[in-house]
Amino acid sequence: MSNDGRFAVVHNGIIENYLELRRELIKDGYIFQSETDTETIVHLLELYYDGDIKAAVMKTAARLEGSYALGIVCTDTPDALYVVREASPLILGVGVGENYFASDVTALVSHTKNVIYLEDGEFAKLTPDSITVCDCAGREVKKPISRVTWSVEAAEKGGYEHFMLKEIMEQPAAVKAALAPRIHEGRVQLDGFELGEEELRGISKIIITACGSAYYAGCSGRYAIERLCRVPVQVELASELRPMVDEHTLVLVISQSGETADTIAALKECKARGAKVIGIVNVVGSTIAKLADFTLYTFAGPEIAVATTKGYTTQLTVLYLFALYMAEKLGRIDAESYTTLVKELQHLPRKLQQTIDMNWQIPKLVSRYASHSLFFIGRNTDYAVALEGALKMKEISYLHAESYAAGELKHGTIALIEENQPVIAVCCNEALMDKTLSNIVEVKARGAKVLALSCKGNKKIVSQADDVIFIPRVETVFSAALAVVPLQLLAYYAAKEKGCDIDKPKNLAKSVTVE
Ligand code: M6R
């Protein structure tokens, strides 16, 4: 709140030059109650206010560097809310006799499905009966009202104890929603992706960039694309991307929220260097969806739990579709393999349901394997799954979990294995089975207890591991989409046993809108 008590703000984002502003404001006599960057905003509003709130907001915004979605109230106009955004999501909800603003569309769906997406630099005044939007020069602009298709039920728990469990259970339906509109008469069609065959042939490499689980989805996607299309794929953390890209590079930017600041920055960088960008995004109207040259929506529906589950599996699904689409267009796959793989993809929702049904015993494994720091190991596609499994465990159960490429153990990490060290071995890749089995034997010989994850019917693994969880048999190239499910459940039940706040783990936000 401002010193004169006239203004109060809520802020999502980060003000990068706040120390400089704070020093200046303190010199001018303003008293700070906190160490936050946000507090500088409210004092600037007081400084620039001369009876015209819009002018004060615009002048304040002009001083701020960084990212912000601001909601402002002023005691002089108690029936109005003022909002402004820069590099941080801000959505207006249009109601009847009431209007809203939020950073995320999921917060609005139970109130209204009519929304206005604000652009960077735009300012709006909301009263119960009106919304006025102005551009960064203060000129009034007419904004279209979009209709959100997500249902209210989808944004509620529907009888489940946590959103995360509900979202795990929704995966068969979510993957079906991602597949169904894109497979017609046995062929993959990607509406929204309009590169001609000539242009596709001109692509010399693909870069996948994303953060967190979306990055791990990219790691799995890489194997699918390289195997089916024989085009080199580089997977880069968006926050580390120093792109060697040009107009012959195709960039896949993956994001559930479409608002992750690091991913947006990477996207802009790649576009500036001439690359064509495909966004693989869940939230319609999000920044990445708007900035990308083409957008492939994942159709997962609203994902509320901070730990992504259906967001991740639908990202994988879109990557698989993309790999098959490209492989066919480039003539790198024979007709028989293409038909088989498309059919196999169509079976994924059913197999996901089987995976969930087969894994009812997971809660019983929790006390044995999730009471200590955990190692997740695997090779190739299984390694990508291990990465995601370890992240899930860390973020919701707060247990220390690390993932290692199984072949790397003996290059150092195996020194950490001691009596009773839990090791989760992902072993779904038939071609690499024997090698991973050797790694299981190595860690067991040093005292580890091993929980293996493999495809049904794998007898060898039963004789080597202490416990085994199975998924249905599946083409290796798509196995990550099934294999991740038991690991999501393991993390969920571990967090539940520890009494953690599963849907809102500490220190984390659903969308990370600051770099
Ligand atoms: O919305 P995005 O997919 O861009 O989010 C990326 C990561 O922040 C996200 O996947 C994060 O790692 C999840 N909390 C993992 O469950």
Side-chain angles (χ1 to χ4, degrees):
M1 198 179 273
S2 57
N3 288 170
D4 62 3
R6 186 177 263 130
F7 291 100
V9 298
V10 287
H11 168 215
N12 181 28
I14 188 155
I15 305 304
E16 285 163 4
N17 60 335
Y18 87 98
L19 282 176
E20 190 186 313
L21 294 171
R22 185 184 164 97
R23 272 194 296 273
E24 181 188 316
L25 287 158
I26 288 174
K27 230 195 239 162
D28 286 348
Y30 288 92
I31 296 162
F32 279 73
Q33 309 284 328
S34 73
E35 296 298 319
T36 62
D37 55 338
T38 301
E39 196 179 340
T40 54
I41 301 168
V42 83
H43 300 315
L44 284 174
L45 285 167
E46 182 182 331
L47 174 71
Y48 291 125
Y49 183 61
D50 59 7
D52 182 346
I53 297 176
K54 185 168 107 183
V57 174
M58 296 309 221
K59 282 181 189 158
T60 298
R63 298 293 314 277
L64 304 176
E65 286 168 22
S67 63
Y68 51 85
L70 293 180
I72 301 161
V73 285
C74 176
T75 51
D76 291 353
T77 52
D79 64 341
L81 296 168
Y82 303 89
V83 298
V84 63
R85 74 159 265 184
E86 185 65 43
S88 204
L90 187 55
I91 301 136
L92 308 182
V94 186
V96 178
E98 52 193 15
N99 291 309
Y100 307 86
F101 70 90
S103 280
D104 193 313
V105 80
T106 50
L108 294 174
V109 284
S110 59
H111 303 285
T112 177
K113 291 196 181 167
N114 294 328
V115 299
I116 294 173
Y117 297 101
L118 281 197
E119 304 292 329
D120 278 350
E122 284 181 340
F123 160 92
K125 178 181 177 187
L126 284 72
T127 68
D129 305 307
S130 67
I131 293 180
T132 319
V133 182
C134 298
D135 65 14
C136 53
R139 286 179 302 249
E140 203 170 314
V141 283
K142 197 138 189 64
K143 299 287 289 184
I145 296 178
S146 309
R147 182 94 184 139
V148 177
T149 52
W150 289 351
S151 68
V152 179
E153 301 73 52
E156 286 172 350
K157 282 192 200 147
Y160 286 93
E161 197 177 342
H162 297 100
F163 279 111
M164 183 178 177
L165 188 58
K166 175 178 177 247
E167 288 158 7
I168 290 173
M169 299 303 171
E170 282 173 349
Q171 290 179 108
V175 166
K176 194 170 180 182
L179 287 172
R182 291 168 171 141
I183 301 180
H184 302 284
E185 293 167 2
R187 307 208 85 71
V188 176
Q189 284 173 16
L190 294 182
D191 289 347
F193 180 51
E194 285 141 21
L195 278 194
E197 277 173 40
E198 188 89 339
E199 284 170 286
L200 284 177
R201 280 181 209 290
I203 292 166
S204 58
K205 74 169 168 189
I206 294 176
I207 289 185
I208 302 180
T209 189
C211 299
S213 293
Y215 168 77
Y216 296 143
C219 294
S220 287
R222 171 185 161 205
Y223 294 115
I225 298 169
E226 284 187 338
R227 197 190 119 190
L228 300 179
C229 309
R230 297 199 299 279
V231 175
V233 180
Q234 215 176 304
V235 193
E236 299 283 349
L237 288 166
S239 55
E240 293 288 326
L241 185 70
R242 298 286 170 275
M244 298 268 290
V245 307
D246 57 23
E247 65 278 18
H248 301 296
T249 316
L250 185 62
V251 179
L252 304 186
V253 170
I254 309 174
S255 176
Q256 186 285 130
S257 62
E259 298 294 351
T260 302
D262 286 317
T263 313
I264 293 171
L267 181 159
K268 287 181 177 165
E269 189 82 11
C270 293
K271 271 192 87 166
R273 289 166 197 232
K276 280 268 172 284
V277 175
I278 304 182
I280 298 180
V281 176
N282 190 35
V283 179
V284 175
S286 58
T287 305
I288 292 179
K290 284 190 202 140
L291 290 175
D293 296 301
F294 313 103
T295 300
L296 299 174
Y297 285 109
T298 53
F299 301 136
E303 192 180 60
I304 314 280
V306 165
T308 181
T309 52
K310 61 175 181 169
Y312 169 88
T313 35
T314 52
Q315 286 163 355
L316 286 182
T317 307
V318 172
L319 286 162
Y320 297 155
L321 284 162
F322 173 81
L324 277 167
Y325 176 86
M326 277 278 283
E328 198 215 7
K329 292 276 175 235
L330 294 175
R332 307 260 162 93
I333 187 166
D334 62 78
E336 198 186 324
S337 311
Y338 179 80
T339 308
T340 310
L341 288 175
V342 171
K343 277 200 188 125
E344 179 72 346
L345 211 45
Q346 288 176 301
H347 290 314
L348 268 189
R350 182 174 53 78
K351 291 191 178 182
L352 269 163
Q353 190 56 54
Q354 287 171 358
T355 307
I356 292 170
D357 297 342
M358 280 160 79
N359 281 290
W360 55 268
Q361 84 285 24
I362 286 198
K364 293 196 186 139
L365 296 167
V366 162
S367 55
R368 198 161 151 69
Y369 290 96
S371 54
H372 196 283
S373 98
L374 297 96
F375 287 10
F376 287 72
I377 61 168
R379 286 168 181 264
N380 193 265
T381 42
D382 291 338
Y383 174 45
V385 174
L387 288 161
E388 172 62 4
L391 179 63
K392 283 287 90 82
M393 186 60 80
K394 280 186 264 212
E395 72 176 329
I396 59 163
S397 77
Y398 316 143
L399 284 171
H400 178 242
E402 287 308 329
S403 46
Y404 302 102
E408 274 293 297
L409 285 174
K410 53 188 162 306
H411 297 287
T413 318
I414 203 163
L416 293 171
I417 301 283
E418 50 189 37
E419 209 53 41
N420 277 326
Q421 169 65 52
V423 174
I424 317 296
V426 187
C427 209
C428 301
N429 190 327
E430 198 71 44
L432 298 168
M433 186 69 64
D434 287 340
K435 286 186 194 291
T436 311
L437 278 172
S438 316
N439 300 124
I440 292 177
V441 172
E442 280 160 13
V443 293
K444 275 200 62 106
R446 284 152 183 88
K449 48 185 180 188
V450 176
L451 170 61
L453 166 56
S454 194
C455 293
K456 205 162 171 222
N458 178 358
K459 294 206 179 83
K460 283 192 203 165
I461 201 104
V462 178
S463 59
Q464 299 298 347
D466 294 288
D467 290 285
V468 186
I469 36 187
F470 286 112
I471 60 168
R473 296 199 77 75
V474 60
E475 279 287 339
T476 299
V477 72
F478 304 142
S479 62
L482 303 187
V484 75
V485 175
L487 302 186
Q488 296 167 344
L489 288 166
L490 191 68
Y492 174 81
Y493 286 109
K496 192 170 169 202
E497 192 162 290
K498 286 188 72 196
C500 302
D501 188 352
I502 296 182
D503 288 333
K504 287 189 236 127
K506 67 174 158 64
N507 306 339
L508 294 174
K510 182 63 184 163
S511 40
V512 184
T513 52
V514 292
E515 282 184 60

